[in-house]
């Protein structure tokens, strides 16, 4: 089974704090995507990382793809209540198959 | 309407009922997907259609029957479901099947919350 384990499973923090979410696997992926799903909505793509070691920044969010393309991390600086949601990583196997991670549920309190 | 639209948003059905979930995408995409999202499991791919032809059935029980009449519409017909089938069913679309590169992206609908009594 190609499992993508995310940690932590739940995270509850105050506005202004920093946090990191991890996405780990024993499998190698062609690329890795991060999605955010807000309550009552479907997941929305945040970023795709393709190259091992790649780092992408999206405002206060920093995404990194591991050198061996087996893991990824998402770092949020100065979290805001609007960052609340379920964060999902998804690894691509081959060209068209996405394996979704177990999810990290983030709650940011004002 | 824009994006991916799913109806109904909520559905409660008995184990002997027959119902259908509908998905429509207004993005001009060629591929459409059904995913199941349960509380304690990762998002599970159920079916994939590309240019209205089924390309993947991820060992889904026959009580779930998909239908894709054209590239813009996708249905999931439900019959004799079990309580463990209660979940959020998400429809998604993508421009092409290729999801591994920088242009690959799934666009999800808001989901249909199904409760089987």
């Amino acid at each position: 089974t190609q499992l993508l384990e995310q940690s932590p499973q739940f995270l509850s923090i105050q506005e202004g704090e920093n946090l990191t979410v991890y996405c780990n696997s024993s499998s190698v992926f062609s690329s890795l995507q991060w999605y955010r799903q807000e309550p009552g909505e479907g997941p929305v793509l945040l970023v795709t990382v393709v190259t091992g070691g790649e780092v992408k920044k999206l405002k206060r969010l920093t995404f990194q793809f591991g050198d061996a393309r087996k893991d990824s991390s998402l770092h949020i600086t100065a979290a805001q209540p609007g960052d609340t949601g379920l964060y999902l990583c998804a690894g691509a196997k081959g060209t068209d198959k996405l394996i979704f991670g177990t999810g990290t549920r983030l709650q940011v309190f004002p | 309407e824009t994006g991916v639209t799913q109806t109904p948003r909520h559905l409660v059905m008995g184990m002997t009922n027959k119902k259908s979930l509908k998905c429509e995408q207004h993005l001009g995409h060629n591929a459409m997907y059904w995913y199941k999202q349960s509380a304690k499991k990762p998002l599970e791919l159920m079916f994939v259609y590309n240019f209205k032809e089924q390309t993947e059935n991820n060992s889904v029980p026959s009580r779930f029957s998909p239908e894709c009449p054209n590239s813009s519409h996708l249905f999931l017909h439900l019959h004799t479901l079990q309580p463990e089938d209660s979940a959020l069913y998400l429809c998604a679309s993508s421009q092409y099947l290729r999801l591994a590169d920088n242009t690959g992206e799934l666009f999800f609908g808001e989901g249909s919350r199904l409760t089987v009594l």
Side-chain angles (χ1 to χ4, degrees):
Chain A
T1 305
Q2 298 155 349
L3 191 60
L4 268 171
E5 293 273 5
Q6 288 185 236
S7 60
Q9 199 175 351
F10 300 97
L11 194 52
S12 184
I13 61 172
Q14 292 293 128
E15 182 176 3
E17 292 185 35
N18 301 332
L19 67 116
T20 302
V21 177
Y22 299 94
C23 173
N24 293 299
S25 177
S26 57
S27 297
V28 176
F29 294 101
S30 313
S31 64
L32 198 129
Q33 299 181 345
W34 283 93
Y35 289 80
R36 179 171 65 211
Q37 183 177 16
E38 298 182 19
E41 306 286 330
V44 175
L45 180 69
L46 296 174
V47 79
T48 301
V49 283
V50 178
T51 307
E54 182 177 1
V55 177
K56 277 192 175 177
K57 291 193 174 184
L58 188 69
K59 297 184 181 177
R60 294 176 294 99
L61 278 61
T62 302
F63 304 85
Q64 182 160 12
F65 200 11
D67 290 341
R69 304 209 314 277
K70 293 182 179 181
D71 54 82
S72 181
S73 63
L74 157 59
H75 182 80
I76 301 180
T77 304
Q80 299 176 1
D83 296 325
T84 292
L86 177 67
Y87 288 81
L88 297 165
C89 64
K93 296 296 285 184
T95 58
D96 59 2
K97 201 173 197 59
L98 274 185
I99 309 294
F100 277 85
T102 49
T104 294
R105 195 167 294 280
L106 172 66
Q107 177 83 53
V108 183
F109 291 98
Chain B
E1 295 230 40
T2 59
V4 180
T5 306
Q6 290 187 241
T7 54
R9 292 294 307 277
H10 300 273
L11 178 63
V12 179
M13 59 188 289
M15 289 192 284
T16 57
N17 291 160
K18 287 186 180 181
K19 297 285 184 183
S20 295
L21 306 181
K22 179 184 175 183
C23 176
E24 184 174 1
Q25 59 97 358
H26 308 269
L27 300 168
H29 288 170
N30 301 307
M32 295 190 77
Y33 310 75
W34 279 117
Y35 280 88
K36 177 183 178 182
Q37 189 172 37
S38 307
K40 297 181 179 180
K41 291 183 180 180
L43 208 58
E44 297 174 74
L45 178 65
M46 299 175 72
F47 302 102
V48 182
Y49 280 81
N50 189 40
F51 292 99
K52 73 179 185 178
E53 296 297 321
Q54 189 179 113
T55 58
E56 180 143 1
N57 175 340
N58 200 22
S59 303
V60 180
S62 59
R63 57 185 183 270
F64 295 91
S65 175
E67 179 190 359
C68 189
N70 53 61
S71 292
S72 300
H73 294 85
L74 186 63
F75 296 88
L76 188 62
H77 303 301
L78 316 169
H79 65 98
T80 59
L81 294 192
Q82 305 299 312
E84 60 265 29
D85 296 322
S86 298
L88 181 68
Y89 288 85
L90 288 162
C91 173
S93 69
S94 63
Q95 181 69 64
Y96 304 109
L97 276 183
R98 186 179 180 86
L99 297 173
D101 56 26
N102 275 315
T103 59
E105 177 179 354
L106 286 172
F107 291 79
F108 286 90
E110 295 173 320
S112 293
R113 173 74 58 190
L114 173 66
T115 303
V116 182
L117 301 177

